[in-house]
Amino acid sequence: MPSGHLMRIHGAEFQAMAERVLRATELTSRLNVLPFEDEPGKAELFEQILGRPLPARVTIYPPFYTDHGLRLDLAERVFINQNCMFLDYAGIRLGERVMIGPKATFITVGHPVDPGERREWLTGGPIDVAENVWIGAGATILPGVSIGRDSVIAAGAVVADDVPPASLVTGGKATLNRQW
């Protein structure tokens, strides 16, 4: 679902997505009960969740949640801490050396604000996180956001707008505090 596009909830595309959500939920529920040291078991489930093996030196600490998985693109040396959520139907790309704190949430789909359209449509846009970004604990990244290289998203920030490279953003709705 490209940025700014709509998907009819009662259409075939939505039905296919809903089926994948059930499969991804089943796979992540299995992943999240494995013993932490079961590296082969975790690798096998991540391959099924993502549709391909984890890239080199990617570290993900369960519990891990995704509603789709097949549109989560992880570069090498990404670190994802515990309890993160990736609603990736419209696509999420994490560049090399991205670090994500616990309980961070990435959301690529939503609903229109208009109550008459809310139960009929999904809206969305991809999330793109450039190289060497650090996303703090509990941060929320909303649909269509791009985060520039070397930026820091403070713990608890809600990022609804693009972030320039080498920036620090903070706050309930993230605001640009400085660039370097």
Side-chain angles (χ1 to χ4, degrees):
M1 177 185 315
S3 182
H5 280 67
L6 297 173
M7 177 197 319
R8 183 173 292 283
I9 289 178
H10 302 291
E13 182 183 5
F14 181 85
Q15 183 58 41
M17 181 188 75
E19 290 170 12
R20 176 60 191 174
V21 167
L22 291 176
R23 177 71 175 141
T25 301
E26 184 259 325
L27 292 167
T28 57
S29 70
R30 289 176 41 209
L31 171 75
N32 292 334
V33 297
L34 284 178
F36 185 77
E37 66 276 3
D38 185 355
E39 294 298 332
K42 290 190 297 186
E44 179 183 330
L45 283 166
F46 275 123
E47 185 169 348
Q48 291 178 54
I49 292 165
L50 301 174
R52 62 199 169 283
L54 282 178
R57 295 182 283 176
V58 166
T59 301
I60 301 175
Y61 287 163
F64 169 86
Y65 303 95
T66 183
D67 71 338
H68 197 272
L70 300 176
R71 296 188 176 148
L72 180 55
D73 179 14
L74 306 174
E76 291 188 10
R77 296 186 283 171
V78 165
F79 174 81
I80 299 171
N81 212 322
Q82 297 178 26
N83 253 333
C84 291
M85 169 68 75
F86 297 88
L87 305 180
D88 66 304
Y89 184 74
I92 298 170
R93 185 189 79 85
L94 302 179
E96 286 192 30
R97 299 182 321 279
V98 166
M99 298 186 308
I100 300 174
K103 296 186 179 180
T105 302
F106 294 72
I107 303 169
T108 66
V109 295
H111 296 272
V113 173
D114 183 288
E117 296 178 354
R118 197 172 299 149
R119 297 190 186 280
E120 298 294 322
W121 300 94
L122 286 180
T123 61
I127 294 171
D128 186 74
V129 180
E131 293 71 23
N132 206 38
V133 168
W134 178 21
I135 297 176
T140 300
I141 315 302
L142 296 177
V145 167
S146 292
I147 300 173
R149 180 184 182 96
D150 298 323
S151 291
V152 174
I153 309 302
V158 177
V159 183
D161 300 309
D162 289 350
V163 176
S167 300
L168 169 66
V169 292
T170 64
K173 179 184 181 290
T175 55
L176 178 61
N177 289 324
R178 67 177 177 190
Q179 285 185 272
W180 59 83

